[in-house]
Every structure is written in C-alpha cells, then in structure tokens.
Amino acid sequence: MASPHSVLTVLSHRPVDGLVDNHERYARLHGYRHATVDGMHVYGERQQVLHKYHTIIAQLVAMEPGALLLVLDPFSVVFDPHALPDVAHGYDAIVTTQTPKSALPAASGMIFRNVPDVRERLRKLVVELGKWAMRLPERQHACEATLLAECFPPLPFDVPLANGHFPSVQTIWGDGLAIDSIAGVRPLVAHNAPEWRQVDDGWAPAADYDFRYVIALVDDAERYQRGDRTRAIDAWQAAQRRTRDAEQHVNPHAPVAFVSLHTSHIAGYGDLHEENFVRYCTRHGYAYHAYREAPAFLPAGIDANWAKLHLIREHLPHHAFVFWVDADILAIDQSQAIDSTIDGRDFVIGTDHTAWAINSCMIGVRNVAPMRELVERICARIESFGDRSSVYASGGDQQAIYVEMLASGMIDARHIVDAMTLASSPVYATRNSRFVHFPAQHNHYRAVTMRVWDRLSHQR
C-alpha cells in the first residue's frame, strides 16, 4: 500500500546541483510522494514567502488525515533518511531554531501533520504573512521567522526530541558550527539557512551569506548515505600531517606566472588549490610557483597573508607578468586563459564583492619600471606596519595596496576590474567562472566546499 506521507520541495532560488535529487531519493526510499514547487517566478521576497506557505497548506489538505509532510527548501539536505513517522512520533508540528542562542525558527526541514490544529495554525500564519507582504503597519517590523514563531514555537535544533531524533539541524551560524557532529547526531535534515537578524527596524540575513554553501552538505549527505563516515576535520588533519616539499615550480620560464603560498595549517585546501592550478597552468603554458612554507627570501615578520607583494617582487624579474593568487582560489572553467584580461594593463586587481574597492586575493603586475617601483612601495608599507598579527590587523595587506594605489592615482577602471573578471566569490560564481575565490569560511569545511567545486574543473 502506498505511503500517505509526502515530501515538499519549495524552490525560492535555483538549487545547487544534486539538491532536488537528494530530496527525491529520500522520498523514493520510503515510498513517499514528492512534490517540487518552483516559486522562483514569484516576484518579491515577501511574496515568495507568502506563496510558500500557501503551497504548504495546499499540499497538506490534499493528504490523508494524520499524514506527515516534510517541507524542504534550497537550504535543506536530507542527511540520515529516517522514516518520517519515527522522527515525528509524538509531534504534530516540528519547527526548529535557527541558532543555539536564538528563539527564532529556521524554516528549513519543517514537519507538519495533517490534523485540524495544524491546518488552523497554518491558516492564521498565512493571514499574518499576507499583512506583512502587503506591508500593513501592524506587521511592518516582522519577518518570516518572527511570524512563524508565533504560530509554531520552535524547538531547539541542538537538543533531541523526546523520541530521541534530531529532525533538522543548522550546520553553520554566526558564531559556531555543527559540521563535525552531524554524523554523530544523525539528523533527518541538515541545512545551512541564512540566520536572520534585526538591523535597525528591519530583518536581514548576513550580507555575505552564500546559500550555495549547501553544495557541501549535498556532498556530505551523499557520502554518509554510502557508508563513508569520514569527517571533514579528519581529512583536514591528515593533510596537515602530510610530508611535502618546501616548494614547487611549473614552467618556471613562461612569460605569465602565478605565485602562491600555503603553509601546512591550510594544507587541507591549499594542496587542492595547488593541484588545480598545476593543471590550469600546464594547460595554458603559464608558470606556477607554489610555496608550502615561507621562503627564506622573505623579510623577518613577513609571512603567509602578508607576503603577497614580496612574492610578486621576487618573481617579477623573471616573467613579463606575475599574478599573486590566494590558496583558496580554484580555476573552475580551465579552458579560459588569462591573456585577454592582462592585455593592455600593467596592473590589475578586482573589486570586492561586498563594500571594498579592491580585493587582494588576486593581484597582477607587469614587469615594467613603474610597476616594479609600485611593488617596492607596497612592500615597504607592509613592512612598516607595527601589527601584522592576523589577516586583518592594521587593515591587512589590502589597506597597504589601496593606499599606494591611491597615492599613484590608480584607483580607477584602468587597473580595477569587477568582482568576477579575476576571482569570483561563490555568491556570484557558476561552473562557467574562470577563477572562484572561497573566502571567510571555516577552514576545514572550506576544503569540502572547494573539493566539490574542483570536480567541476575536471568536467570542463
């Protein structure tokens, strides 16, 4: 007999590769009906949210009395495919918190039972969401999370239900992460939904939130369901212990060169970057200089993130054009050469994808006298900083680059390109991007994300 339960996938954004397949595979395993509703055609953030809950009601009322509905979204991945009746045993509605310290819910991995009380609470929720969507005064300071909490008080995601199950677990939030404990708690759903915070009189997610971080969860879930219990941090620690030569040089006399430095503490993704760029540079005949520890020619106190311009300075006399490239950058569409980008330019750097005029993850310099002098000035400024204790101390190397470019009259479109021409953030990136930058992520999980994207580089 067919199961009465259902899985609903509501798409407000284009999902990452494999996400809907993950939902469909779960439904098929248990014989549940799976419905996918595309809400991307609904214009307006609030209207999309309102549409989602109308969709939930429509699905629920069409089901048998007492049947369960699992609601998934573009942030949700089925991790351990428990049966819905087991996870929901003793509960008619399950909505969990967005962070351990928040009283607000995350609308990912919700479970509703088709009973009169739940249907009535959903009806009331839709009315209030409608007021919010129409910006009526009594709801102007609300958001989906606050209204959802009024009708379905959330359960803490980091505490098991009375039946022992974890229904839906947030994996990353502003001041923490649950990545390495997912396999231990075996949640039905793992998600990376945006954390909503009150900003002035409104609500907003983090400005640099990248929902495609979910691609790593899809990969994690697939490996877990195959029986692979390796944690991201285990692979990370193994990479740190690996014996490596101090440096590697590919095509060392080529006109165009890339140079990078990644020490053992970031080998979990640095080695992946290196393998990726060796393939890219070999394909196009570029030079690639990879340092696995700070080289002896660096001045005392200049290491890791502060050494970019010093490494460019070291290699510039031997090439026509030298790029620094961060170790958290991958060449995804490896068919795209860099020549057209540097043609007619003596210096090139990208705009940051947030609020900064430049991003120092990639810097390109031509071997001509004015640029050699600029590099010297930037190196001298970096060496003059009293505090280089962290990436962002004294404004970081980015501040030194900006100040010297400003003094040289170079803060303009001759030298600064958009946030995608050099290294695109995953927020903007696609499988057609030449270079993709993976900044500001927890290190050992950054390696997981980069590994998934690196597979695309092999496909291209």
Side-chain angles (χ1 to χ4, degrees), residues 286-308:
Y286 301 141
Y288 177 60
H289 304 285
Y291 291 91
R292 286 82 169 255
E293 59 186 46
F297 59 76
L298 292 179
I302 302 297
D303 54 16
N305 195 68
W306 295 93
K308 299 175 182 180

Side-chain angles (χ1 to χ4, degrees), residues 373-420:
E373 293 166 5
L374 174 65
V375 169
E376 290 289 351
R377 292 196 299 274
I378 298 174
C379 287
R381 182 172 290 276
I382 289 172
E383 291 171 27
S384 73
F385 285 172
D387 183 8
R388 294 188 297 272
S389 59
S390 70
V391 171
Y392 301 113
S394 305
D397 68 304
Q398 201 162 276
Q399 178 68 11
I401 297 167
Y402 180 83
V403 170
E404 290 301 332
M405 287 181 66
L406 185 65
S408 301
M410 293 173 60
I411 300 297
D412 57 43
R414 294 173 301 160
H415 307 97
I416 305 174
V417 295
D418 56 83
M420 294 170 286

Side-chain angles (χ1 to χ4, degrees), residues 89-131:
H89 179 69
Y91 295 84
D92 287 341
I94 299 174
V95 177
T96 55
T97 52
Q98 65 173 0
T99 77
K101 300 176 182 177
S102 175
L104 291 179
S108 299
M110 300 184 293
I111 300 175
F112 300 109
R113 193 183 300 274
N114 184 18
V115 295
D117 172 66
V118 170
R119 292 198 303 270
E120 176 59 15
R121 284 194 276 166
L122 283 168
R123 185 198 66 79
K124 290 179 178 178
L125 174 58
V126 162
V127 172
E128 298 309 312
L129 286 167
K131 296 176 183 177

Side-chain angles (χ1 to χ4, degrees), residues 324-355:
W324 162 266
V325 56
D326 277 5
D328 56 357
I329 290 177
L330 295 176
I332 302 302
D333 183 355
Q334 297 218 346
S335 68
Q336 297 185 43
I338 195 70
D339 303 71
S340 61
T341 302
I342 64 178
D343 186 32
R345 287 191 171 96
D346 289 343
F347 185 97
V348 62
I349 193 169
T351 308
D352 192 83
H353 77 282
T354 57

